[in-house]
């Protein structure tokens, strides 16, 4: 098949569809209790050098308690995709990231990420392979579909494609140029949801971001949930199950698990908490102090929440989006 | 009447807001585009359909979103789905306008948000494409909102992150990008620019009040085309400023 | 791009992605009242020779009142995709179908379709192009994504592919063989939903079948709904909007619109009603008698429901699936 | 003990039901597979995960579904999504078994459900692939359930609709089909067949009680491989029959 152009970026997580199928074949379809702590889940499934990603992102329905635990356990040489704000900033500041399939890492309203700049400009992050947000999601979608690639017209003609690992071909039906995006399977995915049962059946409220795609494009899936619900509730509303249990390896009960980010209909974002990272992360020392205070300095999520305090959490709840 | 005072950011937001077509679907990026969209929906474009990257479409923007995924992006919205739905809507031709920013822009409207300097050993690592490349590839028309200075308006961007007209006439189609798409306007802190149809090069359309054509040219790092007649953008109206200050950004996040 | 194999089937609805984009650009994004009758909707948007399809299928959440109206108005030379049971059987029996992108047309539990056999074996249906159910849905998904094709490993090595319009290529990333499915855009799609507002925002309960894909892969979309709800209800649950208004051209209020098929959580299937078609359709004369009785012999859906009678409809309601 | 009487269909259902692996995901087609799955879930495979084409997964099958999309296919289920989710699960390797039927089967387990005779001028137009081709392509193992006679067990099917082993060893992989997939069993009204690993050809495994090997051979339109020892399938148990007649198909739709 004639390739018109190939991005020069490294394919840092090559995909073999039959190998992924063989992995999925081995995953249990039995309903077994998968509830465990952040510490257990990260210890059991995240390893040095693994290819890992988080959904949705930093300030919105983000598995922050899991992301902090990754830092606490110092999992290193991580290969990471995304699309991140606070969560990937923490990993970058902690020096855990070796390679990036990068789409966007920044502080949104608050601008570029000093942690990203330090990590990349110092050479600590060895490789940045570029993709658009659409492209990285379609790469996961390809894996979720069980096909080796998906076509898109994104990235054509740009350096984004030149620094990616995409390929340009001509459509055999119409002769049009399209970019082919190689399927992406993560070694580990971290996703935060509103509700899950003990087996890992998950429900999400509001936008689904790319939860459905990422959950189907990973070998290990750690889900954290605001609430653990009885399976009867899942079976009553099977049309709300965005992530079925057989995709899930661990279920972590993490109330306020997205803090300082928001969780639609449950709590709004903690602006002061976000700004604290924005300010402290301006210097390496400040970032280290933040990690010491909120991660190394606490045993786990419970202690983190205690440190934040009920008053602040209550204020976040007051700021929640409501159905109206 | 009283002489109204306003900041250049406030003016930029107003000029951007006036570009929103009523009843159009508009892909809204983080920051100034959000304020402009909110202002437009309260003034000239009440039927504006805001589209946010991670799944929110048709929101009623009562409060300023601070992120493209937060609940305010689908508040009382038409649909709250996922990023694939949004991006596929764009790729399928359902998104009329895309509003975005960048660190650098060139005469053909190509935007850079990846690196300053060499990609593998950058002087400055920027956030990356995000949804920018998708928006610039698939939306029918794109509007860039930029600070105006010679470091940002450059002859060649260090890294074409989001496609403008690429190398000029016909280049988008030749690359395989959707037919009849491309940059429409640039709103800067100094002026409003459009593009010359024949050459696809950026052209000064209207200066902001109190800004001279020479000042715009002096702050542009490439030859900016000049029309026979350079217009002057109307200053923010009393109502526009009231909306911005009292309803849209009362916490002064941007203004 | 090297093609290893091309199906011999005709591409009976060729796709041009930029032409589809130009069409979508012209569709209004304004919130306008689109409520009209079956008769108006079919008259306005369905035309002789158009390429048309229905979702979900015959006995499940199927736009039967719309399908019957197509027969009543005698729209002919239809090119049809699917995947159908009663609905396509009616069109075939009425002699309206010229070409088929066929995946399955039969009577499920009750076996093969005599109406299909008569229409195809007599040569009345000029062409049958073969696809799998997965393939036809992915073809719609490709159009919905705005790309010219999607890859799959379905159909490889079989006559299903040989009689399709798919092409086999090698994946440029791994060298594996994959089939490419050409995108499919219908001229008109008919979809029945649980609830819609006057603008066409739709909610579905239970399985979604391929409603999301088909709604995004057509030029005209006629939605029939069991209930018309206020837009406020849509805006309260934007995460339940599977079909947004801007895709929709007509909204038809059709209570019991899926009869004799079922509608999850509202009414179960009318087994006697289904069996009546199964029995009568065994002969051309019987099928004609059925069409006379239930379609030509009644003015529209209201008269059809009157003919069925409240008692039978009430029994269907008693048989509905419940949330438990 | 009392001699239990039963129909060949009832026996076929029982033999098929015993093939379900507990805790496996099984793609269930319309008809006999549904009865077999319900029987299995009440006997040897309580943790069976039924998967139905149009989106139902993990249903508790309290009542016999009459269609692969009706509510009974996701009753008290784990998920009720869409056909893409189901087919993509299969393509991704998450579906262990596929149970399906066909009008014709050949020695390599290829199934025909498209036409009898010439495709463009058929003697008989059959329903088409439906999900059959997807199931036969992507599920790890497929089980065919067939009436057993020489018109159905043929040397070559008129149209390979659903892939078995195609032309024999290595043919599936050569065609690009997923590695290590293919037909596992055929349950017929006369016997249970499996496949010879070396040749990929159908082999008699066990006859139904009261059916001779010669009767099976006489009703098979190609050379059926014979093992050293042909087993005999146990007849339906009293409990299996009770479940079938009282709980699974009380309306006698099939039995």
């Amino acid at each position: 098949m004639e390739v018109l152009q190939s991005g020069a970026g490294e394919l840092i997580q090559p995909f073999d569809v039959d190998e992924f199928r063989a992995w999925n074949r081995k995953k249990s379809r039995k309903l077994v209790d998968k509830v465990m702590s952040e510490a257990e889940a990260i210890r059991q499934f995240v390893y040095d050098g693994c290819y890992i990603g988080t959904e949705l992102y930093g300030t919105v329905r983000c598995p922050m308690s899991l992301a902090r635990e990754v830092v606490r356990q110092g999992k290193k040489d991580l290969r990471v995709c995304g699309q991140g704000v606070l969560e990937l900033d923490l990993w970058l500041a902690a020096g855990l990231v070796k390679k990036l399939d990068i789409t966007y890492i920044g502080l949104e309203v608050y601008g570029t990420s000093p942690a990203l700049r330090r990590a990349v400009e110092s050479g600590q992050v060895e490789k940045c392979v570029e993709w658009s947000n659409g492209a990285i999601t379609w790469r996961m979608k390809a894996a979720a579909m069980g096909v080796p690639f998906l076509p898109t017209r994104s990235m054509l003609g740009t350096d984004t494609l030149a620094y990616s690992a995409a390929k340009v071909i001509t459509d055999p039906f119409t002769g049009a140029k399209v970019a082919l995006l190689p399927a992406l399977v993560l070694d580990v995915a971290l996703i935060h949801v509103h509700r899950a049962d003990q087996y890992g059946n998950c429900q999400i409220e509001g936008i689904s971001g790319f939860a459905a795609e990422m959950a189907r494009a990973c070998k290990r899936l750690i889900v954290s949930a605001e609430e653990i619900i009885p399976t009867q509730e899942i079976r009553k509303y099977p049309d709300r199950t965005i992530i079925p249990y057989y995709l899930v390896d661990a279920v972590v009960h993490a109330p306020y698990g997205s803090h300082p980010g928001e969780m639609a209909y449950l709590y709004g974002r903690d602006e002061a908490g976000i700004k604290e990272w924005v300010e402290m992360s301006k210097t390496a020392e400040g970032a280290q102090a933040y990690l010491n205070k909120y991660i190394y300095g606490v045993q786990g999520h419970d202690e983190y929440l205690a440190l934040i305090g009920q008053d602040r959490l209550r204020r976040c709840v007051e700021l929640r989006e409501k159905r109206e | 009447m009283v002489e109204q005072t306003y900041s250049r950011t406030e003016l930029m937001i107003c000029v951007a807001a006036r570009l929103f077509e009523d009843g159009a679907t508009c892909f809204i990026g983080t920051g100034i585009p959000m304020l402009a969209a909110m202002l437009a929906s309260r003034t000239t474009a009440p039927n504006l359909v805001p589209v946010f990257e991670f799944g929110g479409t048709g929101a009623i923007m009562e409060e300023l979103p601070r992120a493209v995924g937060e609940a305010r992006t689908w508040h009382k919205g038409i649909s709250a789905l996922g990023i694939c739905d949004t991006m596929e809507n764009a790729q399928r031709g359902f998104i009329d306008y895309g509003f975005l920013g960048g660190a650098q822009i060139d005469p053909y409207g190509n935007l850079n948000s990846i690196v300053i300097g060499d990609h593998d050993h950058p002087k400055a690592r920027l956030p990356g494409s995000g949804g920018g490349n998708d928006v610039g590839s698939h939306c029918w028309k794109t509007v860039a909102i930029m600070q105006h200075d010679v470091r940002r308006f450059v002859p060649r961007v260090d890294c074409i992150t989001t496609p403008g007209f690429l190398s000029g006439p016909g280049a988008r189609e030749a690359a395989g990008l959707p037919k009849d798409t491309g940059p429409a306007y640039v709103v800067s802190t100094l002026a409003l620019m459009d593009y010359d149809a024949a050459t696809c090069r950026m052209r000064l359309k209207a200066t902001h009040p109190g800004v001279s054509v020479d000042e715009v040219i002096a702050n542009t790092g490439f030859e900016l085309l000049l029309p026979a007649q350079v217009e002057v953008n109307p200053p923010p109206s009393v109502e526009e400023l009231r909306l911005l200050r009292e309803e849209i950004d009362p916490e002064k996040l941007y203004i």
Side-chain angles (χ1 to χ4, degrees), chain A, chain B:
Chain A
M1 166 169 176
E2 193 204 353
V3 173
L4 304 177
Q5 183 191 354
S6 291
E10 178 189 353
L11 188 53
I12 63 181
Q13 177 80 337
F15 175 78
D16 177 323
V17 61
D18 278 327
E19 188 264 335
F20 187 42
R21 278 180 55 91
W23 175 276
N24 291 336
R25 184 181 197 174
K26 287 203 256 61
K27 275 200 130 171
S28 171
R29 292 81 159 106
K30 291 238 170 98
L31 292 163
V32 293
D33 185 352
K34 298 166 188 166
V35 177
M36 60 183 81
S37 69
E38 281 94 352
E40 291 173 281
I42 300 302
R43 190 172 305 112
Q44 202 174 329
F45 298 113
V46 180
Y47 51 93
D48 293 351
C50 71
Y51 191 101
I52 186 170
T54 57
E55 201 268 348
L56 185 61
Y57 67 83
T59 58
V60 178
R61 195 173 48 74
C62 188
M64 290 303 294
S65 73
L66 295 173
R68 283 184 287 261
E69 184 60 28
V70 168
V71 174
R72 196 172 287 114
Q73 292 188 22
K75 303 292 186 182
K76 58 181 193 301
D77 300 331
L78 301 178
R79 295 170 299 134
V80 178
C81 63
Q83 227 281 13
V85 184
L86 303 177
E87 76 285 43
L88 299 193
D89 248 29
L90 295 178
W91 294 359
L92 288 161
L96 306 180
V97 181
K98 188 173 186 177
K99 296 182 177 184
L100 277 173
D101 274 318
I102 186 170
T103 63
Y104 172 94
I105 298 178
L107 298 174
E108 300 174 290
V109 170
Y110 303 110
T112 56
S113 159
L116 174 71
R117 289 200 56 178
R118 284 190 296 270
V120 173
E121 293 164 25
S122 70
Q124 179 199 102
V125 170
E126 294 174 5
K127 274 224 161 39
C128 288
V129 183
E130 311 293 331
W131 306 92
S132 70
N133 276 349
I136 201 80
T137 313
W138 287 317
R139 289 188 62 198
M140 295 182 207
K141 179 65 182 172
M145 291 178 74
V147 296
F149 60 81
L150 279 181
T152 181
R153 300 174 87 188
S154 285
M155 310 210 302
L156 290 167
T158 65
D159 293 321
T160 308
L161 191 145
Y163 293 117
S164 78
K167 294 180 186 295
V168 180
I169 59 110
T170 57
D171 161 31
F173 296 98
T174 68
K177 278 186 191 172
V178 290
L180 299 187
L181 304 166
L184 172 63
V185 172
L186 291 74
D187 294 321
V188 191
L190 312 178
I191 301 179
H192 188 58
V193 302
H194 290 72
R195 292 176 295 276
D197 71 3
Q198 61 175 328
Y199 309 122
N201 293 299
C202 301
Q203 300 178 343
I204 287 174
E205 303 273 320
I207 56 169
S208 54
F210 49 102
E213 292 77 15
M214 182 180 266
R216 288 158 176 76
C218 58
K219 290 185 169 181
R220 297 293 191 183
L221 174 55
I222 303 175
V223 158
S224 58
E226 292 286 328
E227 188 189 1
I228 306 295
I229 60 172
T231 299
Q232 191 188 344
E233 273 303 292
I234 296 291
R235 293 190 180 273
K236 187 172 180 180
Y237 299 100
D239 42 5
R240 308 258 193 281
T241 306
I242 184 168
I243 300 175
Y245 73 96
Y246 52 82
L247 301 171
V248 177
D249 294 282
V251 178
V252 175
H253 183 211
Y256 301 103
S258 182
H259 183 275
E262 69 173 55
M263 198 68 182
Y265 309 116
L266 295 177
Y267 50 91
R269 58 195 246 157
D270 182 343
E271 205 63 45
I274 292 165
K275 280 189 180 143
E276 189 172 359
W277 171 253
V278 170
E279 289 310 315
M280 293 179 80
S281 67
K282 284 177 177 161
T283 66
E285 301 65 32
Q288 194 57 44
Y290 182 98
L291 299 184
N292 289 336
K293 179 179 177 189
Y294 290 109
I295 300 180
Y296 304 128
V298 294
Q299 285 293 320
H301 189 51
D302 295 349
E303 273 191 31
Y304 171 86
L305 292 182
L307 182 62
I308 299 304
Q310 282 305 314
D311 292 359
R312 253 170 84 182
L313 295 175
R314 210 172 296 110
R315 277 198 298 282
C316 293
V317 171
E318 286 160 10
L319 293 170
R320 74 188 181 282
E321 170 74 2
K322 298 175 191 66
R323 299 258 188 207
E324 53 189 353
Chain B
M1 71 172 248
V2 191
E3 178 66 32
Q4 191 74 21
T5 66
Y6 53 84
S7 71
R8 282 192 166 174
T9 302
E10 287 174 325
L11 176 60
M12 181 163 65
I13 295 166
C14 293
V15 172
R18 296 167 192 158
L19 295 175
F20 282 82
E21 227 174 80
D22 193 31
T25 43
C26 302
F27 205 118
I28 315 290
T30 304
I32 300 293
M34 290 174 173
L35 286 92
M38 285 181 75
L39 181 57
S41 67
R42 284 162 168 69
T43 53
T44 55
N47 300 304
L48 165 71
V49 182
V51 177
F52 293 96
E53 186 163 344
F54 287 99
T57 298
I60 294 173
M61 290 187 286
E62 291 174 354
E63 293 181 295
L64 180 65
R66 295 143 301 183
V68 290
E70 77 170 293
R72 292 174 180 185
T73 63
W74 74 84
H75 178 69
K76 296 181 182 173
I78 287 299
S79 62
L81 303 169
I83 181 172
C84 283
D85 184 69
T86 308
M87 293 305 187
E88 291 162 16
N89 277 349
Q91 192 161 239
R92 213 163 70 247
F94 263 107
I95 316 296
D96 302 315
Y97 284 86
F99 285 74
L100 21 85
Q104 293 179 323
I105 189 166
D106 73 13
Y108 296 110
N110 301 304
L111 290 163
N112 172 23
S113 58
I114 288 182
V115 288
I116 301 298
D118 172 65
H119 178 268
D120 296 342
H121 305 88
K123 272 210 247 18
R125 173 69 217 197
L126 307 174
S129 158
N133 177 282
D134 305 297
V135 170
S137 297
H138 305 301
C139 294
W140 288 102
K141 296 178 178 180
T142 52
V143 177
I145 301 178
M146 308 272 302
Q147 292 284 322
H148 205 138
D149 60 54
V150 291
R151 283 177 21 267
R152 292 188 170 84
F153 284 66
V154 295
R156 305 178 101 273
V157 295
D158 294 6
C159 183
I160 298 181
T161 306
T162 297
F165 289 111
L166 298 174
S167 60
R172 284 179 68 94
E173 288 75 0
L177 288 168
K179 202 154 161 279
D180 300 328
T181 57
Y185 298 104
V186 181
V187 180
S188 78
T189 39
L190 298 179
L192 171 66
M193 274 69 61
D194 62 6
Y195 292 86
D196 171 57
T199 63
C200 294
R201 287 181 60 96
M202 200 185 295
R203 176 176 61 193
L204 181 59
K205 181 172 168 57
T207 57
H208 292 339
V211 176
S212 70
V213 171
D214 289 348
E215 185 180 353
V216 176
I217 290 170
N219 284 280
T220 305
F222 53 82
E223 191 205 339
L224 190 62
L225 300 185
L226 297 177
Q229 171 90 51
V230 177
E231 305 157 34
V232 175
N233 293 309
S237 70
V238 173
E239 176 61 3
E240 285 173 326
L241 285 175
R242 187 194 68 74
L243 287 166
L244 269 178
R245 294 168 181 177
E246 293 173 22
E247 294 187 14
I248 296 170
D249 191 13
E251 288 158 36
K252 304 262 172 291
L253 268 170
Y254 294 89
I255 63 175

